[in-house]
Structure formats: C-alpha cells, structure tokens
Amino acid sequence: MDVKEGAGTAVQDSIVNAAKKYLGELPAASLLDTSSVDAINPFTRSGLTPEQLRDFFAAAAKAGRKTTPTTESGNVYAVSKAFHALNGPLVVDEYLNKLRSLDASDLQRARAFVEAVALDAELRNRNPLHPSATDALVIGTLLDFPKQLFGFPYACYATDGRESLSLCLYAYRLRTGSRRIVGDASDETLKGVASRLGMTVCSDLDGAACVVATLSDLSLCEEASRRGVPVHVRCTDSELRQLL
C-alpha cells in the first residue's frame, strides 16, 4: 500500500453522479432510515445525555422493525416480563461494580446510561442497529474521526481486537510469504494470534512479514522503513483514550 503524507481527503464526486445515487436509493428509502441519529449530538461540552440515548435507541428500534428478518441472529427469547424486572437491576449492578472508581456524579450518570439499555427488554434481547443504515452511519462517523485525525488512508473495524489483528497479519503473510513477525515477544495476545496463523514473533527484521508496533513504542519503525519491512501500528482503545 502506498501511503501519502498529510491528512486524508474526502472523495470528490460530480453532482450528476450524486444525483444518480440519490435516485437509485429512492426505491429503498424506507429501509435507509437514519433519522434516529438526529436525536443525539454528542459533540458538546456536556456530552450525550441519558435522555438522548433513550430517544436514539427508541427511534432506531422503530426503524429496525421495518427491516428485521423473521429469524434473528440476536435470538429474541420469549420470557416472562417478571424475569426482565428481576434480571435487569442485577445486570445494572453487576456492570456498575466495575465503575466504582468514578466519583458520585459520574457514577450516577453512568447508571442512567446503563439502565437505559439494561432495563429495556427489547434492547437487552436484540441489537436494533445491526444490520441497518443507522449502524453504518454511526460506525462510519466514528471511524472517520481517527482516520482524519491521524491522516490514515483507510479505516476499518471489527467486533474484536484479535479479529482485526488476525486479518492484518494474515494479509501480511500472504503478501510477503513470510511467517515471521517482529514485535513484543511478551505480548500474549500477539503471540496467540500469530500462533493461530502459523506465524512466530521474533526480533529479526530480515525477511519479516511486518513489524507490529504500538503507539507507546515506535522505535523500530524508522529502521523497518529503511529495510522495506511493512509496519503495522496496533492501537488499543486504552492507548487511544490516553492520547485523546
């Protein structure tokens, strides 16, 4: 992949192509309902409110009912309402026990967010965003933020960090034909994913498929660039939070 310096740029398209795209989507307009996003405006000083979250999910669930198939991967279970009334508060308390380090006001705000989902029987049994146009819009926006911030040429996501890493390493293995990765040999996640792909983690750059670096340690990137070894910067959510 050829990576150019500088910030990323949006794809420029003509007004004629944009009009064709709009007309082509009209027959399926009812299936592309993203109006629920209008209920939220998270980029404010005070952030998102629990009420906005509830309004967003209510609108998203309503739009999702237009496209929900008869057989759902989310497994909507037919259980007693009494079960939800009993189990919901237990789920809330179990989750909030992980957030005890928050101060009183933040913990109260966190409780409101968790209760908005955990005490709603429909939200606990299915994901109203998957798959939908709203899901694509939200994820696309969240991906575009770090993409533009760091000037990345592309952005993608997976539901699990190991899944993303596995896909990247497998691609490097196919492109280079090498089964060796240069990275932190003490990283159990990296070693586990590499082992699953039939690859090993080492410290020798010669003939390596790629270098797996982290935001906290980019020391090998310059040397790898000189030798023509691809570099994959692995950014965990905790590192990104510390940076931002």
Side-chain angles (χ1 to χ4, degrees):
M1 180 189 302
D2 294 328
V3 180
K4 298 180 180 179
E5 294 184 0
T9 57
V11 176
Q12 300 297 320
D13 203 354
S14 69
I15 190 171
V16 174
N17 287 336
K20 288 180 180 179
K21 180 176 181 294
Y22 176 78
L23 292 174
E25 291 174 350
L26 282 179
S30 63
L31 302 179
L32 302 175
D33 186 355
T34 58
S35 59
S36 56
V37 179
D38 297 336
I40 61 174
N41 182 19
F43 298 107
T44 63
R45 184 178 295 275
S46 58
L48 190 68
T49 66
E51 291 75 18
Q52 286 177 309
L53 183 70
R54 279 192 289 268
D55 291 344
F56 166 73
F57 275 124
K62 181 180 179 181
R65 294 188 191 102
K66 301 177 183 178
T67 58
T68 300
T70 302
T71 302
E72 294 187 347
S73 61
N75 295 325
V76 176
Y77 299 106
V79 298
S80 168
K81 292 182 179 179
F83 172 80
H84 290 302
L86 174 67
N87 187 250
L90 295 177
V91 173
V92 173
D93 289 339
E94 180 182 5
Y95 187 81
L96 290 179
N97 281 332
K98 304 173 183 179
L99 305 176
R100 292 300 178 187
S101 60
L102 296 177
D103 58 35
S105 61
D106 286 339
L107 188 61
Q108 183 179 5
R109 186 167 183 266
R111 174 177 287 275
F113 281 114
V114 175
E115 288 179 345
V117 176
L119 299 186
D120 187 309
E122 183 179 17
L123 292 181
R124 288 177 55 218
N125 277 320
R126 63 186 288 270
N127 181 357
L129 303 181
H130 177 72
S132 70
T134 303
D135 182 42
L137 177 61
V138 171
I139 291 174
T141 302
L142 292 176
L143 288 175
D144 193 55
F145 180 73
K147 173 184 176 294
Q148 297 293 342
L149 180 66
F150 295 108
F152 293 151
Y154 303 103
C156 64
Y157 91 106
T159 54
D160 182 271
R162 292 178 177 83
E163 178 185 356
S164 298
L165 184 60
S166 179
L167 290 172
C168 287
L169 297 184
Y170 183 63
Y172 282 121
R173 195 188 93 178
L174 290 182
R175 290 182 61 187
T176 64
S178 173
R179 291 176 177 263
R180 293 190 299 106
I181 305 164
V182 176
D184 184 1
S186 63
D187 187 334
E188 294 299 327
T189 297
L190 178 61
K191 289 197 301 182
V193 171
S195 176
R196 178 175 175 271
L197 296 171
M199 305 177 78
T200 58
V201 180
C202 66
S203 58
D204 186 6
L205 283 171
D206 291 334
C210 69
V211 172
V212 178
T214 63
L215 286 180
S216 57
D217 185 8
L218 300 172
S219 57
L220 288 176
C221 293
E222 186 175 353
E223 180 63 24
S225 178
R226 281 198 295 266
R227 298 195 190 188
V229 179
V231 175
H232 172 71
V233 180
R234 181 178 168 221
C235 176
T236 63
D237 58 346
S238 60
E239 286 180 320
L240 190 59
R241 286 197 300 269
Q242 290 174 0
L243 181 65
L244 300 177

